[in-house]
Amino acid sequence: MDPVGLIMGDPKVSAEIKRELKPCTGKEYPVDVSYGRVTGSPVVDIVVNVLSCADALGRGSYVYRADGGKYENVFSDEQPPVYAEIDRGDLVVTKQVYGKSDALAYPSGEDVITYRWDGEKFTEQDRVHSEYSNVVDGGPLPAPATSQKN
């Protein structure tokens, strides 16, 4: 499977993502691909994360499900920074959260959102928000996460 070809040929992927998806070095594209079962399909699903070359932050995350002889985009998130992965049959999307004065390297926290396939689409099952501490180098651990179950 060619994940770059999948992204470039997908009408649901924004023109900006397609325009910026170029090799970082040589022929290496900034994509992270994983295969697994997340939609209940008998054929493995494909999760593609498009990253930036400069800092490897997630620019977009996509899930492709086999439909006949081709793959169909059944999930996309293009609000960076974003990263999607399969965890025990669920789709887990991690998004860094930034305050107004946060540097790119130091987000204020993160949201971890769990989605489950309902037979037709992904629905949010859980959302956990964690605040990071301002203290660096041996400071306290992140504040306890808060969870919202749907």
Side-chain angles (χ1 to χ4, degrees), residues 41-82:
S41 172
V43 179
V44 294
D45 303 304
I46 303 170
V47 176
V48 180
N49 289 288
V50 176
L51 311 171
S52 63
C53 288
D55 47 24
L57 287 177
R59 304 272 302 131
S61 296
Y62 310 90
V63 177
Y64 292 93
R65 182 175 199 260
D67 183 20
K70 59 185 175 103
Y71 277 89
E72 172 191 9
N73 180 332
V74 293
F75 178 88
S76 59
D77 187 332
E78 294 182 334
Q79 295 296 314
V82 60

Side-chain angles (χ1 to χ4, degrees), residues 6-138:
L6 215 56
I7 294 292
M8 297 305 251
D10 184 349
K12 293 181 180 177
V13 174
S14 73
E16 180 182 357
I17 295 287
K18 290 178 182 179
R19 187 174 48 254
E20 294 179 5
L21 182 55
K22 296 181 171 101
C24 295
T25 56
K27 294 182 181 178
E28 294 294 318
Y29 281 86
V31 294
D32 185 26
V33 183
S34 55
Y35 302 88
R37 288 189 166 74
V38 72
T39 68
S41 172
V43 179
V44 294
D45 303 304
I46 303 170
V47 176
V48 180
N49 289 288
V50 176
L51 311 171
S52 63
C53 288
D55 47 24
L57 287 177
R59 304 272 302 131
S61 296
Y62 310 90
V63 177
Y64 292 93
R65 182 175 199 260
D67 183 20
K70 59 185 175 103
Y71 277 89
E72 172 191 9
N73 180 332
V74 293
F75 178 88
S76 59
D77 187 332
E78 294 182 334
Q79 295 296 314
V82 60
Y83 190 85
E85 57 193 335
I86 299 171
D87 184 13
R88 295 173 293 214
D90 290 331
L91 178 65
V92 178
V93 176
T94 303
K95 299 176 78 72
Q96 301 299 314
V97 177
Y98 292 88
K100 289 180 183 177
S101 62
D102 289 347
L104 192 57
Y106 300 105
S108 297
E110 75 177 7
D111 288 331
V112 178
I113 308 157
T114 303
Y115 294 93
R116 192 161 292 143
W117 184 254
D118 71 4
E120 295 181 13
K121 65 184 181 321
F122 284 100
T123 58
E124 186 175 318
Q125 298 297 307
D126 189 43
R127 178 180 293 254
V128 177
H129 176 77
S130 298
E131 286 290 326
Y132 297 153
S133 170
N134 306 14
V135 181
V136 182
D137 297 332

